[in-house]
Amino acid sequence: MAGAYCRAVQKVGGIPVLLPAITRLERPLASFCQGLLLSGGGDFDPGFFGEVPHPALGTVDYERDCWEITLITKARREGLPILGICRGMQAINIALGGSLYQDLPSQYPVSGKGLVEHHQSAPGDQVTHRVKITVNSLLHQVVESTEIWTNSHHHQAVKETAPGLKVTARSEDGVIEGIEGKNDHFLLGVQWHPERLSTPDSHRLFAAFVRACRGKMDSA
Ligand code: MN
């Protein structure tokens, strides 16, 4: 895992604990951690949403997919805060029954000005496209803005949103850039990479997540 995720968690007072992909986890997550952060990574196996691989599908890791779905299911059941970043946001959508575009450039129906550059050529610590955020959403409360600039490193994206989720951020081409749960459980997914940015909204995102985790610790 990229060290940036650990540093981002540490910077706001959390202690990052890395979990290897193992086949079974019998203990409750809450017995050794207070929240779940899902990182970026490779493509999802399209079998999880009933599709065959598209020619532009990248490398998949079935074991990791299964592991992350297990973790999300457990964390939800235990009421632990969940933050999904890039692939992590897509993992949340898959775990709850949604689907993905396997390859945005060849599958996303574009209109108007066309597709925003979601696989940016600029360095990862630079912002390249805007994201509009729904007023009064959890994401809006967290970043304190209805429009932010983000970095972008993805060729997959959420297609059908899972029943338990709502879309709360999109880029100008309509691509889904943020999802969250429908109740007050802290369940948030962002399609960009706040861990590589030093913008105030990126800091607020990790701070809000760790704050929610700390709440879990005090009540345990
Ligand atoms: Mn993007």
Side-chain angles (χ1 to χ4, degrees):
M1 170 175 293
Y5 292 97
C6 297
R7 286 192 292 275
V9 167
Q10 205 164 23
K11 218 165 140 185
V12 293
I15 300 170
V17 177
L18 276 57
L19 304 175
I22 52 176
T23 44
R24 290 172 74 183
L25 178 65
E26 284 167 7
R27 288 174 61 177
L29 274 183
S31 66
F32 59 91
C33 67
Q34 285 77 44
L36 177 64
L37 169 62
L38 299 140
S39 71
D43 288 357
F44 246 94
D45 189 320
F48 285 103
F49 45 95
E51 288 183 14
V52 295
H54 182 275
L57 180 73
T59 309
V60 298
D61 182 345
Y62 182 74
E63 214 179 346
R64 177 175 175 181
D65 296 348
C66 291
W67 170 239
E68 291 185 349
I69 289 168
T70 300
L71 288 177
I72 293 163
T73 308
K74 281 177 89 83
R76 283 189 83 216
R77 201 183 299 142
E78 297 172 32
L80 297 183
I82 303 174
L83 174 61
I85 292 175
C86 196
R87 171 197 155 89
M89 157 171 138
Q90 297 165 5
I92 293 170
N93 190 48
I94 298 295
L96 274 67
S99 67
L100 303 179
Y101 287 107
Q102 294 186 43
D103 180 56
L104 270 181
S106 54
Q107 293 187 309
Y108 188 73
V110 283
S111 58
K113 283 186 253 171
L115 204 62
V116 164
E117 198 197 355
H118 291 286
H119 208 308
Q120 73 182 46
S121 44
D125 61 353
Q126 287 176 28
V127 294
T128 56
H129 78 64
R130 268 186 303 185
V131 164
K132 284 212 162 87
I133 297 167
T134 310
V135 179
N136 292 332
S137 59
L138 172 61
L139 186 58
H140 178 220
Q141 288 165 28
V142 168
V143 302
E144 298 174 18
S145 179
T146 53
E147 192 178 283
I148 61 169
W149 280 89
T150 67
N151 52 0
S152 195
H153 297 273
H154 59 113
H155 85 113
Q156 298 205 307
V158 169
K159 188 161 69 180
E160 288 154 319
T161 315
L165 300 171
K166 57 184 179 183
V167 175
T168 54
R170 289 184 192 266
S171 43
E172 278 166 84
D173 51 11
V175 168
I176 295 173
E177 294 275 347
I179 53 171
E180 55 193 69
K182 286 179 176 169
N183 55 28
D184 57 1
H185 172 218
F186 191 107
L187 173 60
L188 189 61
V190 297
Q191 187 55 70
W192 65 96
H193 283 277
E195 81 284 1
R196 294 188 206 162
L197 297 176
S198 50
T199 53
D201 42 83
S202 303
H203 178 84
R204 287 192 195 110
L205 204 50
F206 285 103
F209 171 62
V210 169
R211 201 158 50 235
C213 295
R214 187 171 286 134
K216 231 37 224 176
M217 188 163 66
D218 295 340
S219 66

